[in-house]
Amino acid sequence: MASDTLTPEVEAAVKSAKDKLDAHTYEIVQWHFHESTGCPFWLEKKKEFNFDPLTEVKCYDDLKKFPLFEDEWLRGGPVRRWVPQAFADKPIYVFETGGTTGIPKSRIAIDDFRTDYSLFSETLPDEYFPKGSNWLMLGPSGPRRLRLAVEHLAQVRGGISFCIDLDPRWVVKLIKRGKMDELEAYKKHCIDQAITVLTAGHDVKCMFGTPKLIESLCLGLEDKGTTLADVGITGIFSGGTEFTPQWTRYCIEELFGGGPEESGIYMTPTYGNTLMGLACSKPVTPEDGYKISYYAPQPRAVTEVVSFDDPNEAVPYGETGRVKLTTLTKEFFVPGFLERDEGEREMPYLTYPWEGVSGVRPFHGFASSTTVGVY
């Protein structure tokens, strides 16, 4: 990174963040590979390595010694092989991701989802996400982390979360069978649930929604002669790979009726998944062409934008590559997982003094076979 591309203040913040990440990485690797605290999966997997994680991983860069993490390791059981010995007596959650075909990937969780969303709560502006307000969770339910995480977010901010019932696996099956009329009926069923909550006097001011569902909700309310602002929504946190500058512009200008100052609705995009947690976005503005740049919650998780040919090689800033994720918590250790997404590598800045990723979209290597579905 050229020294003239960052201010001295940002450079100092970048160095401090790197030092913190290196120390955190060392602590997490020690935890997961020590006999007294580690989980059975990593203690067993360690026997296959040609290095000793306990003595040879001193900093984040040393994680390149591990092989890339294979998502097949997360399919099937027993799921307790992922529970660290030190947490063996704790109540365990299991969250699933995928599963539209074959066995879904599973990850264990204890408090990670609460920690991630408590930290995210601190980034939300109280003006638009008032403390004590109730929330609507308009997204996938069932064995997914998102439902419980949004519920915790509402609770930690002093509110109550109202959740709709949505099964994305059923949606994907409808799409694959070409049952587009049934898909529309199911989507309307989900939106009807949301409108019922919003018009039932529950004082819901904040919500989570995915781009497709937010759009459908706005159009559904319009059909009933009302708007999101009319039913009281002021703050939206949203996520999904369909978050594009074009959609964001359309959503803010057409569906909301203008930016926060004009419409009274503030929306913040996020990029998250069951393995990582939640990456926050740099403020999205018309002046920046509604560009969306995400920054992972370091040091708990790290995203890198790497070469399509060499997953250990970062692409230059502004260039396109595949998203590589590393998760570093005491509950869960995932070194070097190649995501199903690609994007452009973004510069650090003062709020998030580490690299980010923009333009997130399905990885071109298999985008044509990926079903995005209702959300």
Side-chain angles (χ1 to χ4, degrees):
M1 185 189 306
S3 59
D4 62 351
T5 58
L6 298 175
T7 66
E9 187 181 17
V10 174
E11 275 195 339
V14 168
K15 183 183 184 307
S16 174
K18 184 181 183 307
D19 290 345
K20 183 178 179 182
L21 176 59
D22 285 342
H24 182 76
T25 300
Y26 177 78
E27 178 188 357
I28 294 301
V29 170
Q30 291 292 309
W31 173 270
H32 281 281
F33 287 92
H34 195 279
E35 293 291 338
S36 64
T37 51
C39 71
F41 177 86
W42 285 120
L43 294 177
E44 186 63 29
K45 183 63 70 175
K46 180 169 70 168
K47 298 172 185 175
E48 301 173 16
F49 299 153
N50 59 2
F51 69 100
D52 183 353
L54 290 174
T55 58
E56 297 180 54
V57 176
K58 304 286 180 61
C59 63
Y60 181 77
D61 257 3
D62 287 342
L63 293 180
K64 291 176 180 176
K65 295 176 181 179
F66 287 97
L68 288 173
F69 189 91
E70 298 179 26
D71 62 354
E72 289 303 314
W73 294 343
L74 297 173
R75 297 187 195 275
V79 75
R80 275 206 176 266
R81 71 188 187 280
W82 292 101
V83 179
Q85 315 274 48
F87 296 149
D89 296 330
K90 296 265 190 185
I92 307 294
Y93 291 90
V94 60
F95 297 132
E96 293 180 3
T97 180
T100 50
T101 57
I103 300 171
K105 290 174 284 187
S106 303
R107 75 151 286 187
I108 63 102
I110 302 163
D111 284 311
D112 271 355
F113 68 96
R114 297 188 183 97
T115 303
D116 291 337
Y117 278 69
S118 293
L119 293 171
F120 173 63
S121 174
E122 295 169 11
T123 71
L124 296 176
D126 290 346
E127 179 185 356
Y128 295 104
F129 295 87
K131 295 283 179 66
S133 298
N134 293 333
W135 283 67
L136 169 68
M137 161 55 189
L138 180 56
S141 53
R144 292 162 196 84
R145 165 186 165 117
L146 195 58
R147 178 264 163 112
L148 278 179
V150 173
E151 201 157 40
H152 174 74
L153 176 63
Q155 291 168 353
V156 84
R157 297 184 68 81
I160 297 168
S161 175
F162 291 82
C163 305
I164 71 150
D165 196 13
L166 191 168
D167 178 5
R169 292 175 185 168
W170 180 241
V171 171
V172 173
K173 284 184 175 179
L174 291 176
I175 292 171
K176 288 184 172 177
R177 286 162 44 202
K179 302 285 188 180
M180 304 317 286
D181 54 338
E182 290 184 34
L183 170 65
E184 283 306 310
Y186 188 74
K187 188 163 69 171
K188 183 178 184 304
H189 163 65
C190 294
I191 296 303
D192 285 347
Q193 293 177 62
I195 291 175
T196 298
V197 169
L198 292 176
T199 55
H202 289 304
D203 194 29
V204 175
K205 294 188 184 304
C206 312
M207 63 174 281
F208 169 84
T210 62
K212 283 185 177 180
L213 292 174
I214 291 170
E215 182 176 335
S216 296
L217 176 61
C218 289
L219 297 175
L221 287 167
E222 190 178 289
D223 287 344
K224 295 183 180 298
T226 187
T227 66
L228 266 186
D230 289 342
V231 296
I233 295 294
T234 59
I236 299 174
F237 118 67
S238 183
T241 53
E242 303 245 316
F243 237 120
T244 63
Q246 295 82 359
W247 183 84
T248 305
R249 180 193 302 273
Y250 161 69
C251 184
I252 291 172
E253 295 180 359
E254 302 294 330
L255 299 178
F256 295 171
E261 303 80 9
E262 189 179 354
S263 66
I265 298 175
Y266 178 98
M267 180 171 67
T268 182
T270 57
Y271 170 59
N273 58 39
T274 307
L275 302 184
M276 170 176 66
L278 204 60
C280 294
S281 66
K282 200 172 182 177
V284 181
T285 63
E287 295 74 29
D288 202 18
Y290 291 99
K291 180 180 176 181
I292 301 165
S293 304
Y294 298 115
Y295 290 81
Q298 274 191 213
R300 293 173 56 78
V302 181
T303 54
E304 300 168 79
V305 183
V306 299
S307 164
F308 294 120
D309 300 320
D310 182 357
N312 282 324
E313 188 68 40
V315 300
Y317 287 109
E319 295 296 309
T320 303
R322 191 163 176 183
V323 179
K324 184 169 82 167
L325 165 69
T326 294
T327 302
L328 295 161
T329 75
K330 285 190 170 180
E331 292 179 22
F332 209 56
F333 172 59
V334 177
F337 175 71
L338 290 177
E339 288 279 18
R340 299 169 64 88
D341 304 321
E342 62 182 53
E344 284 69 55
R345 187 182 181 211
E346 292 293 325
M347 297 278 288
Y349 76 114
L350 198 56
T351 304
Y352 301 112
W354 47 82
E355 68 178 75
V357 55
S358 65
V360 175
R361 54 200 179 270
F363 170 52
H364 70 270
F366 44 63
S368 60
S369 64
T370 300
T371 305
V372 179
V374 73
Y375 77 102

